Amino acid sequence: ILQYDSGFSTNGLITNYVCKSFDLGPDLRQIVAVEVFYNGSTIANSLNHHILLHDFTNLTDYNLYSSTVPCISIDPTSEGGSLLGSGNGLVAAWALGGTPLVLPSEAGIFIGQYQTFKKRYFVMEMHINNPSGLKNINMEKIGLKLYTTTNYRPNDATTITVGDHTTNFPDIPIGSLVSRESTCPGICTQSLLGPVYIYASFLHMHSVGRQMYSLIHRASDSSEVAIIEKRQFWNNGFQVMTPVNEVLYPGDQISTHCVYDTSKQSIPVAFGSSSYNEMCINFLFVYSTTNVNGVYFCGYITSDYTSCGPNPDYIFEYDNPTPDGIDSIPLEYQFGIGGPSMNPTRAPTYSP
């Protein structure tokens, strides 16, 4: 169980990102499931907007978070900010109303230390959404429960984060229904060493989000479009981990779409880490790590730039990454009926 320090409580800030580091030791094993761990307080649990678990092995920033402090800035009066992109990729993600992450029987997340392999230092990030500015709410012992095994599974699992993971999308004007699209181009996924199997998807927006979906455009057949996940009606309080059985091939393009409704807003909505900002991020849970080949992040930086690599600092300029322009999906595709232009390629249940 990974949990925040005894005595940790809210400081009255509306938005607060807090982090704590953990050394999970040298024993080699695989994570096979992750679920959120509550402390029994209804108020405290309701303030927990999301939790991310970052791999910080071999990073000196790991030492900043030996106690529970604001992420990025350790000043206790600071809001902090998300560490997304600062580490070696994500291990787990959870948000309000979310469900556990359960890995398929053919994959697990290796942790520990063995010969040249080391993955034992992690930082857990929690976004506290405290719209009433409550002070001294006990947040201790909230965290994540990791289930592990030493009966090793054949594939090592990891994550690929797509969408606007740097929260750089243009502001959303008031009184409008607006769509934003992030493109992970085929020139980035060409770095994959082979097929990457997607076993779960976790979509993330905030309160003015109305619809979200991610699509794969096949390099082998431009007419084939596979739906990774689609949320026809977004609910900010019900962000679930969705089982997926899909495959990403080298050269495929991923397009992540988010639709926002600001008809009830009085000011434009900016993208950022605050509870009052918006986001458009899709966490893909995949295997194998070998085939991912370090492409842990891929998505929007500006209309001319796309990130591609171990973290969002790996920025490549493309000739305006080509959006797919698919602003809606016919209803029949949402229920797997399919059609000539959207014919999903399913992943096998086992990959040696």
Side-chain angles (χ1 to χ4, degrees):
I1 294 177
L2 312 182
Q3 58 189 19
Y4 290 99
D5 293 326
S6 176
F8 168 60
S9 61
T10 57
N11 57 11
L13 294 174
I14 293 174
T15 298
N16 200 194
Y17 281 79
V18 294
C19 284
K20 180 173 171 55
S21 59
F22 299 88
D23 178 1
L24 299 187
D27 294 342
L28 192 66
R29 63 260 198 223
Q30 281 181 307
I31 298 172
V32 295
V34 182
E35 67 176 342
V36 70
F37 182 80
Y38 296 109
N39 70 359
S41 166
T42 302
I43 296 177
N45 296 338
S46 69
L47 301 182
N48 177 10
H49 178 266
H50 77 238
I51 293 179
L52 302 179
L53 186 62
H54 305 269
D55 173 14
F56 262 59
T57 300
N58 298 326
L59 298 177
T60 56
D61 288 353
Y62 162 82
N63 295 317
L64 295 175
Y65 308 113
S66 57
S67 60
T68 304
V69 293
C71 308
I72 301 179
S73 170
I74 60 174
D75 177 357
T77 64
S78 168
E79 281 190 355
S82 178
L83 292 178
L84 188 62
S86 300
N88 303 316
L90 280 181
V91 176
W94 175 93
L96 193 64
T99 49
L101 170 67
V102 179
L103 280 80
S105 60
E106 64 271 16
I109 303 169
F110 271 110
I111 58 173
Q113 193 167 342
Y114 180 73
Q115 296 181 351
T116 60
F117 172 82
K118 183 166 71 172
K119 190 174 182 179
R120 58 183 285 185
Y121 300 107
F122 301 87
V123 174
M124 185 170 64
E125 164 194 319
M126 177 166 60
H127 173 190
I128 298 173
N129 179 25
N130 185 8
S132 299
L134 301 175
K135 293 185 177 181
N136 301 318
I137 301 299
N138 178 12
M139 302 293 290
E140 66 183 26
K141 298 182 179 179
I142 291 177
L144 295 173
K145 184 182 293 186
L146 310 181
Y147 297 84
T148 65
T149 183
T150 54
N151 294 321
Y152 303 137
R153 299 176 176 187
N155 294 286
D156 184 31
T158 185
T159 60
I160 299 176
T161 302
V162 296
D164 179 30
H165 47 74
T166 56
T167 59
N168 279 341
F169 271 157
D171 293 358
I172 308 168
I174 61 173
S176 60
L177 193 67
V178 172
S179 177
R180 295 278 187 261
E181 178 183 346
S182 171
T183 302
C184 174
I187 196 171
C188 178
T189 65
Q190 282 176 359
S191 299
L192 303 177
L193 298 182
V196 170
Y197 301 102
I198 307 172
Y199 68 88
S201 169
F202 183 72
L203 302 175
H204 187 64
M205 293 195 294
H206 285 174
S207 57
V208 300
R210 287 298 173 266
Q211 187 181 93
M212 184 173 181
Y213 50 99
S214 284
L215 309 174
I216 297 175
H217 297 265
R218 299 295 181 198
S220 59
D221 182 354
S222 59
S223 67
E224 182 179 337
V225 181
I227 302 172
I228 299 175
E229 184 183 1
K230 161 100 179 207
R231 278 301 158 88
Q232 179 72 13
F233 303 104
W234 178 258
N235 184 337
N236 192 43
F238 188 67
Q239 302 188 39
V240 300
M241 186 74 65
T242 302
V244 173
N245 187 20
E246 198 52 79
V247 60
L248 178 67
Y249 294 101
D252 287 350
Q253 173 179 307
I254 304 174
S255 296
T256 301
H257 295 259
C258 292
V259 180
Y260 304 93
D261 181 358
T262 58
S263 59
K264 297 181 180 180
Q265 305 301 307
S266 58
I267 60 173
V269 178
F271 285 81
S273 58
S274 170
S275 305
Y276 293 109
N277 295 147
E278 264 304 333
M279 291 187 172
C280 179
I281 302 173
N282 188 186
F283 302 103
L284 302 177
F285 294 83
V286 304
Y287 64 87
S288 69
T289 300
T290 299
N291 282 357
V292 170
N293 194 29
V295 183
Y296 298 126
F297 295 90
C298 183
Y300 182 91
I301 297 293
T302 71
S303 59
D304 297 318
Y305 290 82
T306 299
S307 68
C308 177
N311 61 61
D313 292 334
Y314 285 69
I315 299 173
F316 297 86
E317 182 176 6
Y318 300 115
D319 294 330
N320 298 314
T322 306
D324 63 18
I326 300 178
D327 292 328
S328 63
I329 297 178
L331 190 64
E332 59 266 26
Y333 295 126
Q334 300 166 31
F335 300 98
I337 298 173
S341 62
M342 291 189 180
N343 181 22
T345 303
R346 296 303 177 186
T349 58
Y350 176 79
S351 173

